[in-house]
Amino acid sequence: MTTVHAEAGPAVDEAHVSRGVVRRPWLFAPLFAPFGISSGYVTVTLAFQLRQGQIPVAIIATIIALSVWPQTVKMLWAPIVDTFGNPKLWYGIGTVTVGLSILLMSVLPKTQAEIPIFTALIVLSSVTSTFVSMSTEIFMANQVPADLRGRASGWSQAGNLGGAGIGGGVGLVLAENLAEAWISGVVIALVCFACWGATLLLPKLEVVKTEGLNYLAGLKEVLVNVWQVARSRLGYLALIIMLLPIGSGGVPWSAIAEEWGAGGNMVAFVNGIAGGIASIVGALVAGFICDRMELKKAYSMFGLLVGLVAVSLILLPRTPTVFVGGVLAYQAMVGMAYTGYAAIVLEAIGKKSAATNWNLMASLSNIPIALMSTIDGHVHDAYGTNAMLFGELAFPAVAIVLFWLFVAATRPRRGQG
């Protein structure tokens, strides 16, 4: 059974010609992994090592923030990836640079004198990791058939989350237990290089050449296509739902763990490798659901499941066991929501200017994530933990009701275009 989508997408020409389709959606896990590895290594492994080197927390927090900022403005250079060169070449540049950046960071002494070099490498790794994600998004948009979009989205998010676990959890374990910490960087770099090999299993993708079209004209064409996507019904509904607080995952579990009697090791367990595995499982399960259900309905359901898990912790006893089970279930539901988001974007963006359209929506989707994290904190301090957990269900529930009322009110009438 496959999903039947009644609403037509934007009418756009193909930007690439593929000599085949990808019917092995698991390929998108290794393809996306270096993107997650880049952030995971900086935020977990490097941050821990710098602190061990007596670097002030304020400096560590600042350079971690520098790894995030390129992700908020990446749609500015996405048109370059869309219009210039081959996606497989962009992927190779991104993967190799991420791997080499991590290798260099692992070799450098963790002292104050090297902070400017670390800063440059972190920004370089973050920027070039966007080449990994953008080129993979082009592969997905042009080579994944409609009946596999959900599973491809699930595997892509599994790769993203799994990569973060490799760069963070695995990277730190290796650095702490091997004779030389830099060996960890070598291993992580080799993993990145190995992921490049997954492109060999993809069909050939050729850029469509428009006669007489120069580069600036190509960029203009990208902007025109982005507008075509945004003004289509499928496109603007996707843009709207990206801005809603659905499955944002903003609960600061580490900060409230003591209420369940959970110690530091337990918090590290559920927020580290175990939480990552739960998110991956949720993402893969959601992929199968998305191929069998209308995508915006599936995404709405995943968002409500996130809230229901949070509310269940209000009703259950506050014990360490409940904390572990509840947080892992919460992480799994957030993984499902991430897959729902990716599947909606993949359906809406069309094939042309895929990287630009995808990253525009990705940038928008970060807004409710940031807002819900802030709102959760304020609600907690003003009204307590129970109110914060209840808000995890109340906010998305209200947003979902309003969204579907809007969908109903704007649905084209019979006989209209």
Side-chain angles (χ1 to χ4, degrees), residues 296-311:
K296 290 181 285 296
K297 291 180 180 178
Y299 184 49
S300 300
M301 180 182 71
F302 301 152
L304 292 176
L305 288 175
V306 172
L308 287 171
V309 170
V311 168

Side-chain angles (χ1 to χ4, degrees), residues 61-74:
T62 298
I63 63 176
I64 287 177
L66 288 173
S67 74
V68 177
W69 277 111
Q71 305 299 325
T72 66
V73 294
K74 56 188 177 181

Side-chain angles (χ1 to χ4, degrees), residues 21-297:
V21 297
V22 175
R23 302 208 67 87
R24 292 176 287 187
W26 59 264
L27 276 174
F28 296 104
L31 286 171
F32 250 101
F35 178 75
I37 288 172
S38 174
S39 63
Y41 184 84
V42 171
T43 58
V44 179
T45 303
L46 181 63
F48 183 86
Q49 291 177 321
L50 289 175
R51 187 58 187 147
Q52 291 293 100
Q54 304 302 310
I55 304 299
V57 173
I59 292 178
I60 296 173
T62 298
I63 63 176
I64 287 177
L66 288 173
S67 74
V68 177
W69 277 111
Q71 305 299 325
T72 66
V73 294
K74 56 188 177 181
M75 66 284 203
L76 296 179
W77 56 85
I80 300 175
V81 179
D82 269 324
T83 58
F84 182 75
N86 188 288
K88 288 188 178 182
L89 176 60
W90 282 113
Y91 186 88
I93 292 172
T95 302
V96 170
T97 308
V98 167
L100 290 177
S101 299
I102 290 174
L103 178 58
L104 290 173
M105 284 188 272
S106 71
V107 171
L108 286 171
K110 309 305 184 285
T111 64
Q112 189 102 15
E114 275 71 35
I115 291 300
I117 303 176
F118 279 118
T119 300
L121 289 172
I122 287 168
V123 173
L124 176 64
S125 179
S126 182
V127 170
T128 53
S129 76
T130 67
F131 299 161
V132 172
S133 61
M134 289 174 187
S135 51
T136 304
E137 289 149 10
I138 292 173
F139 300 143
M140 292 175 68
N142 286 272
Q143 297 182 323
V144 174
D147 63 313
L148 289 178
R149 284 175 180 161
R151 273 164 284 185
S153 299
W155 281 107
S156 72
Q157 293 307 303
N160 181 16
L161 297 165
I166 292 171
V170 175
L172 183 56
V173 168
L174 293 176
E176 288 292 289
N177 291 281
L178 294 176
E180 298 290 342
W182 58 265
I183 300 176
S184 171
V186 174
V187 173
I188 299 301
L190 290 174
V191 171
C192 289
F193 301 157
C195 290
W196 191 10
T199 61
L200 299 175
L201 301 178
L202 295 174
K204 189 171 182 179
L205 195 65
E206 297 176 347
V207 179
V208 173
K209 299 293 185 182
T210 302
E211 187 176 351
L213 188 68
N214 59 38
Y215 180 62
L216 291 178
L219 291 179
K220 180 181 178 181
E221 191 176 49
V222 168
L223 296 176
V224 169
N225 182 64
V226 169
W227 173 242
Q228 287 179 321
V229 170
R231 67 193 293 268
S232 70
R233 177 171 169 79
L234 196 62
Y236 70 69
L237 288 179
L239 287 168
I240 291 171
I241 205 168
M242 289 298 102
L243 287 168
L244 300 181
I246 299 175
S248 300
V251 176
W253 294 111
S254 299
I256 60 175
E258 62 180 15
E259 297 183 30
W260 281 263
N265 289 334
M266 188 173 289
V267 171
F269 173 75
V270 298
N271 286 292
I273 295 176
I277 292 173
S279 299
I280 291 170
V281 171
L284 295 178
V285 170
F288 283 94
I289 294 173
C290 286
D291 281 334
R292 291 158 175 79
M293 188 175 180
E294 201 281 324
L295 297 179
K296 290 181 285 296
K297 291 180 180 178

